[in-house]
């Protein structure tokens, strides 16, 4: 049975939300925000403050911020795009929590990210290294506001589980 595609995105400032919705529009599928149980304030996101919530979480490899359960059953989906802002060069810890907590067995997971300039590569490598044998992690993409629809389509076309 062919299973559907879903886009899930974590976004604090709206950029990744925009990317996720744009991607879902191109894919013709649904999209849902992955929301932190306790949402991030402006102060929480201050990377210049070494004691801000995001700084403390990113310094702690084991930090696993709580998130709200999605209102959909992931069981119904075969390919799940997961979007996030790059924090300190990598994926925010809430993404690790989501990937560890939910059952992605037999599913394809496709990362995408937005950032101020950092590429997705480091996050991609980490996700493959940490979750690769358990999850099918396909080649992700940084999707910033300057993205061209054709480039997004070419990336989607090129996705394959053969590695
Ligand atoms: C705590 C924190 C750390 C960040 N670290 C990086 C970084 O290492 N490299 C980068 O290019 N952008 C970094 N950014 C910028 C975000 O990745 C970028 O603004 C992103 O598009 C925000 O997505 P959002 O609006 O969906 O939250 C950081 C932002 C925050 C809040």
């Amino acid at each position: 049975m062919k299973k559907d595609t879903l886009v899930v995105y974590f976004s604090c400032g709206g950029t990744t939300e925009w990317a996720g919705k744009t991607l879902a529009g191109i894919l013709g599928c649904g999209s849902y925000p992955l929301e932190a149980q306790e949402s991030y304030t402006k102060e929480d996101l201050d990377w210049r403050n070494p004691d801000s919530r995001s700084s403390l979480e990113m310094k702690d490899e084991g930090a696993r911020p709580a998130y709200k359960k999605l209102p959909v059953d992931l069981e119904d989906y075969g390919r799940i795009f997961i979007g996030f802002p790059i924090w300190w060069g990598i994926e925010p810890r809430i993404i690790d929590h989501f990937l560890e907590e939910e059952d992605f067995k037999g599913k394809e997971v496709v990362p995408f990210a937005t950032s101020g300039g950092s590429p997705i590569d480091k996050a991609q490598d980490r996700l493959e290294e940490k979750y690769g044998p358990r999850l099918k992690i396909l080649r992700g993409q940084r999707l910033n506001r300057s993205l061209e629809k054709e480039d997004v389509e070419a990336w989607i076309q090129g996705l394959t589980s053969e590695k």
Side-chain angles (χ1 to χ4, degrees), residues 10-55:
F10 170 64
S11 178
C12 294
T15 304
T16 315
E17 175 181 34
W18 168 83
K21 287 186 172 168
T22 303
L23 177 60
I26 292 171
L27 290 163
C29 73
S31 65
Y32 289 94
L34 176 69
E35 293 176 309
Q37 199 67 258
E38 193 189 325
S39 54
Y40 288 80
T41 64
K42 202 163 168 272
E43 290 72 37
D44 289 341
L45 297 171
D46 186 357
W47 65 84
R48 289 178 203 88
N49 176 0
D51 294 321
S52 74
R53 177 181 171 195
S54 57
S55 297

Side-chain angles (χ1 to χ4, degrees), residues 37-90:
Q37 199 67 258
E38 193 189 325
S39 54
Y40 288 80
T41 64
K42 202 163 168 272
E43 290 72 37
D44 289 341
L45 297 171
D46 186 357
W47 65 84
R48 289 178 203 88
N49 176 0
D51 294 321
S52 74
R53 177 181 171 195
S54 57
S55 297
L56 293 175
E57 285 177 5
M58 297 313 286
K59 271 190 267 190
D60 177 2
E61 182 73 46
R64 293 292 180 269
Y67 60 87
K68 295 180 187 168
K69 284 273 166 201
L70 294 184
V72 283
D73 189 352
L74 292 183
E75 187 48 44
D76 298 336
Y77 301 91
R79 177 176 281 184
I80 303 173
F81 288 77
I82 300 180
F84 50 86
I86 298 286
W87 282 7
W88 295 103
I90 59 172

